[in-house]
Amino acid sequence: MRYLVIILVLFSCTAKNEKADYRPKFHFTPQKNWTNDPNGLVYYDGEYHLFFQYNPYGDKWGHMSWGHAVSKDLLHWEELPVAIEEYVDSEGDSVMIFSGSAVVSGDSIVAIFTSHKSTKQSQSIAVSHDKARTFKVYKGNPVLDIGRKDFRDPKVFWYEPQKKWVMAAVVPDQHKVNLYESKDLKSWNFMSDFGKVGDTTKIWECPDLFPLSNKWVLLISASHPQGGPFVGMQYFVGDFDGTKFSVDDSSRYPLYVDYGKDFYAGITYNNEPGGRRIMIGWANNWAYAGSVPTSPWRGGMSLPRELSLDSDLKLKQVPAVEIESKKVVFDKTDSIEVSGTWIGYNAITKNVFLNRMNKMFPSIEKAPARLIDGKVKLEIFEDHSIIEVFINDGEAVISDQVFPKY
């Protein structure tokens, strides 16, 4: 029986053994050096801004600063100079610029980020008046300090019903998201917290709280659905009344965003002009991020995904409509080989599988999939060293890096 309908999207030819050939064509990667979490996703005056965790001095994690790229179509990116650099404060301490968000306030872009010291993390801001080409760090930083070593990743958004800013930030080791409110982005008041639901086998990071289809969704980066040393993302669907986020039925969790090994720290755009909810994630995994065979860069981003909820309040993800290319459609009985990676459907387990046969870090990913009229629809994006598989129009996704001949 033919189980699969495959839409194969080839952005680039199959990679060769040279490391330079592993650079994706349409997944953003910096020209050189290390990158991890996407930060400060915001649209302003015709440009999609992508900030990202970046080491200006090498291809290993360290000296965290905010790198910067812009795009007019979410597909072609122009890398700009480092936006906010690691600095030494008035006390002589090194301050790294950890993950955060960005908002439009009047004619300015305000970045809200975690100031990381060796003994404490707190939330700070920087302001740009020139379309994010330069930022001035606020002299009154930090704007939110609760005296903890681990307290980070502020996602800020405007809550129109109460004319205020809302911040979601994590207390990672307590598996908790704290919610704060502010009128001016400088003075913050605690409102409530949410946590200890779903998967708590690893620390919680990179929260994102946003409205979607008359509900509210909370994204959390934490554990992987297959466990082990890997990390991934989960999500919660519920209600937010301006003060508190709550879910209707805690027993339905955990629910996972991506079933592959290489999608983490995903956050969504603020100020998107069409009202869409667009997410980008880091296409890598902490279990081996420092060892992937790429040079002179290490790390990159996923394709932009548009989010929605289905009738069962499950998250659906599809490539943003800007992602256009030649597509080939055909039927296969059980599987297809793409860049040395086997992708197919197991009718017994009712899973789509991706068998990543890299010698460095082999793995088999599995995602639940239902048959629709006896078929499973797979939309496969292959881009040199990244494969993203969208199942049944986004009911599930598998994202993996692949390095043929390694």
Side-chain angles (χ1 to χ4, degrees), residues 5 14 63 84 115 129 213 229 300 345:
V5 175
T14 302
H63 301 286
I84 309 174
S115 296
H129 301 293
S213 303
Y345 176 72

Side-chain angles (χ1 to χ4, degrees), residues 3-12 14 26-27 258 303 305 317-319 323-345 352-355 376-394 396-402:
Y3 285 115
L4 298 182
V5 175
I6 300 202
I7 301 174
L8 183 60
V9 186
L10 296 174
F11 281 145
S12 50
T14 302
F26 292 112
H27 291 72
D258 194 296
L303 291 175
R305 303 176 181 182
Q317 308 165 69
V318 295
I323 311 302
E324 296 179 355
S325 63
K326 184 177 180 181
K327 297 181 179 180
V328 181
V329 182
F330 54 94
D331 289 346
K332 291 290 290 186
T333 56
D334 55 2
S335 62
I336 182 175
E337 186 268 336
V338 180
S339 293
T341 299
W342 282 98
I343 302 167
Y345 176 72
V352 169
F353 65 85
L354 185 153
N355 187 350
V376 175
K377 179 182 177 182
L378 303 184
E379 191 167 9
I380 302 171
F381 290 79
E382 186 271 335
D383 191 9
H384 271 189
S385 57
I386 299 177
I387 293 178
E388 295 183 64
V389 182
F390 295 82
I391 302 167
N392 286 338
D393 296 314
V397 188
I398 300 175
S399 303
D400 267 15
Q401 293 180 97
V402 296

Side-chain angles (χ1 to χ4, degrees), residues 34 59-61 282 284-293 298 360:
W34 168 277
D59 64 358
K60 298 287 188 179
W61 185 94
W282 180 43
N284 213 334
N285 196 297
W286 285 114
Y288 47 72
S291 302
V292 293
R298 186 167 278 132
M360 293 182 65

